[in-house]
Amino acid sequence: MSSIRAIVVDPDFPERFAIEEVEAPQPSPSEALVQVEAFSLNRGDAIIRVKERRRPGWDLAGIVIKQAANGTGPKVGSRVMGIVNAGAWAEQVAVPTNRLAELPASVTFAQAATLPTAGLTALRALEKGGSLLHKRVLITGSTGGVGLFAHQLARRSGAFVVGTARDARNEAVVREAGADEVIVGDDLEPARAYGPYHLIIESLGGKALKSAFSLLAPGATCVTLGWSASPEVTIDIRNFMVAGGVTLYKLVMFAEFDRRAASRDLAWLAQLVAEQQLRTPIEVEASWHDIGEVVQRLRQRQFTGKAVLYLT
């Protein structure tokens, strides 16, 4: 049985991460085999507490070295990006063809690697608000990959967009991404001055999510993505009753793929990048041998945007 190198995370490792020899992937008939050139990190797959040995990683970009046996998807030699449930941080990955998209010639592997999780999450979250033209949108966690993509796409949709930044030094980053106004600090109360909001994309949890409920307009939607600040929140149900007709939607990206394949959306995002209508917020580029250090920097919030690692 042939083998490849892959990043393995194990609670018994001194630094938790190591590059090891593992069994080479065996694609199913609907999967293409991709030689990975670069991958990006997401907080959800990079810093989750390790309880057992596993293969992490969702996002990847590379070259198809074996087309899917059923004849679907990109052909051998195609430059692609894709997303898998786990194991993307490896030399070779088997990817379902409905989660792959070919890259325009001008889009680099690094740019492409940032798009699958963060770009798709931002896009699908914004879709929950329907038409955003002249609507008001509040985005928390604005300095992360999802937030920075969401700001650009919301502004492109004609919305008035309010973002957040925990540190004043990152306010300019959020405005550059498309925010009309930026709330600095952890308190969302100042955002009330620009509301109420037709759509809120909330990724902090805790008191931020609690505050978001009181900022919704009648018939509005709050999309919750996670809880980077706190998983616990006490909801005052009166906030829903006062606004009327509001919706709380928990977006789980892999469940979204059961409703609509990722390929078309990925291709659209890549085209926006090629046309310079969407900026990929790459803040860290490094070798995959530096995975432990980069994850630690991500955990400590030492950079905004995305980190991309190359298989060098």
Side-chain angles (χ1 to χ4, degrees), residues 70-270:
N70 65 5
T72 63
K75 294 179 171 55
V76 171
S78 299
R79 300 170 67 251
V80 296
M81 63 176 166
I83 182 171
V84 293
N85 288 27
W89 301 353
E91 290 179 315
Q92 296 177 7
V93 179
V95 186
T97 56
N98 62 4
R99 296 188 184 182
L100 275 177
E102 294 190 46
L103 304 180
S106 61
V107 177
T108 68
F109 287 126
Q111 290 175 314
T114 70
L115 291 171
T117 296
L120 287 176
T121 299
L123 176 62
R124 300 276 176 107
L126 287 166
E127 286 179 345
K128 304 308 175 187
S131 174
L132 298 178
L133 184 63
H134 303 314
K135 301 293 179 61
R136 292 181 177 260
V137 176
L138 172 63
I139 300 169
T140 68
S142 297
T143 59
V146 174
L148 293 174
F149 279 129
H151 275 285
Q152 294 179 74
L153 294 172
R155 187 65 176 270
R156 189 174 185 273
S157 299
F160 179 90
V161 191
V162 177
T164 65
R166 287 180 174 174
D167 194 312
R169 64 184 177 180
N170 292 328
E171 179 179 351
V173 173
V174 182
R175 288 191 182 276
E176 183 181 357
D180 294 282
E181 299 291 345
V182 180
I183 308 303
V184 176
D186 296 326
D187 185 4
L188 288 187
E189 185 57 31
R192 191 176 303 279
Y194 308 108
Y197 298 92
H198 176 76
L199 174 67
I200 297 178
I201 299 176
E202 212 296 293
S203 59
L204 303 180
K207 65 180 183 180
L209 180 57
K210 178 181 178 180
S211 297
F213 295 142
S214 68
L215 301 176
L216 293 167
T221 297
C222 178
V223 179
T224 174
L225 305 179
W227 45 84
S228 63
S230 173
E232 297 182 0
V233 58
T234 300
I235 299 175
D236 187 341
I237 197 66
R238 291 173 296 182
N239 291 326
F240 283 96
M241 297 175 67
V242 170
V246 300
T247 300
L248 175 62
Y249 188 94
K250 177 63 182 86
L251 191 144
V252 179
M253 204 62 249
F254 292 111
E256 294 292 316
F257 297 154
D258 294 335
R259 302 180 181 92
R260 188 173 86 231
S263 298
R264 183 173 296 181
D265 290 342
L266 284 174
W268 183 73
L269 291 170

